[in-house]
Amino acid sequence: MSEPLPAFDTHALIPAIVQDAQNGQVLMVAYMNREAFQKTVSTGHTHFYSRSRRALWKKGEQSGHVQEVRSIAVDCDGDAILIRVTQRGGGACHAGYRTCFFRSSTDGKAWRVSEPQVFDPGQVYGQKPR
Amino acid sequence: MSEPLPAFDTHALIPAIVQDAQNGQVLMVAYMNREAFQKTVSTGHTHFYSRSRRALWKKGEQSGHVQEVRSIAVDCDGDAILIRVTQRGGGACHAGYRTCFFRSSTDGKAWRVSEPQVFDPGQVYGQKPR
């Protein structure tokens, strides 16, 4: 392929889907800038860019729930990436769930928690959840 | 949950990850506006909003490769959704692959096709690929 991939958007970001390499569970979606992407590739641990904090962060930096990269794929348009990982620790979600997608709905209006909480975020993150 | 979910962004869009409900394969990522989300819920088939064409579209409208919704989940921040589907027809990708994530890389620079092509996009889409 000759085009530069991935293709960062006008904000120099790209959405990254993180999937459990073992069981296929989609764990989270976060954004990467070029630096986060390169750090993810070079270190083998996922790094992201926080749009609200305007800062690079390493997943699991505080919680220890790091994600070890198993494979990286890019989509047909080049504007989204899929990272399969081994999730260390309790889970990916700062709210204490294995996946950030822990609420489901059948009507798109009422949402219920559909996943078990696997750790106490207060204990893991203290006062600074990430 | 009291907050209105999902939380559309400043462009009134939300990224929707589409996952095969049977085997867990991540098929594609596309964007929904409120109308696309509501149509997805009400019809049971995925609908998206094309940012380039500025139009609502139904997945499989042209190809027949529709996606039947099995479940809808929202993430902790409420700003991404995960839709598990039964993928009808050859696949989700307009380039002829089951998944849009058909290219992989180990170094983040060189990308190789890592999925089999399952249909001929020229035959399915003719001159107007979607």
Side-chain angles (χ1 to χ4, degrees), chain B:
Chain B
M1 304 285 160
S2 58
E3 72 271 41
L5 289 173
F8 295 90
D9 70 11
T10 50
H11 303 288
L13 296 174
I14 194 164
I17 303 157
V18 182
Q19 182 180 31
D20 187 304
Q22 277 73 44
N23 66 14
Q25 188 175 39
V26 174
L27 298 172
M28 59 184 281
V29 176
Y31 290 83
M32 291 184 178
N33 61 2
R34 197 171 298 274
E35 187 186 359
F37 180 71
Q38 285 167 350
K39 274 217 153 183
T40 297
V41 171
S42 65
T43 65
H45 286 104
T46 56
H47 289 70
F48 303 99
Y49 180 80
S50 167
R51 295 171 296 172
S52 55
R53 289 181 287 114
R54 298 186 184 183
L56 189 82
W57 60 287
K58 178 187 175 183
K59 175 65 197 168
E61 200 168 32
Q62 194 179 350
S63 63
H65 300 177
V66 298
Q67 296 170 335
E68 298 169 4
V69 176
R70 298 298 169 215
S71 68
I72 303 176
V74 68
D75 77 350
C76 47
D77 299 326
D79 60 3
I81 59 176
L82 172 65
I83 302 188
R84 294 187 191 86
V85 304
T86 298
Q87 174 68 56
R88 298 297 177 191
C93 185
H94 75 280
Y97 297 86
R98 183 151 178 84
T99 170
C100 293
F101 294 94
F102 61 85
R103 288 173 295 186
S104 300
S105 177
T106 51
D107 63 2
K109 290 171 193 159
W111 299 86
R112 65 180 179 80
V113 172
S114 51
E115 299 284 336
Q117 198 174 35
V118 293
F119 66 89
D120 175 356
Q123 209 157 40
V124 169
Y125 293 100
Q127 297 308 303
K128 288 168 61 190
R130 167 168 293 174

Side-chain angles (χ1 to χ4, degrees), chain A residues 42-96:
Chain A
S42 65
T43 66
H45 286 104
T46 56
H47 289 70
F48 303 98
Y49 180 80
S50 167
R51 295 171 297 173
S52 55
R53 289 181 288 115
R54 298 186 184 184
L56 188 83
W57 60 285
K58 178 187 176 184
K59 175 65 196 167
E61 201 169 33
Q62 194 180 350
S63 63
H65 300 177
V66 298
Q67 296 171 335
E68 298 169 3
V69 176
R70 298 298 169 216
S71 69
I72 302 176
V74 67
D75 76 350
C76 48
D77 299 326
D79 59 4
I81 58 176
L82 172 65
I83 302 188
R84 294 186 192 88
V85 303
T86 298
Q87 174 68 57
R88 297 297 178 191
C93 186
H94 75 281

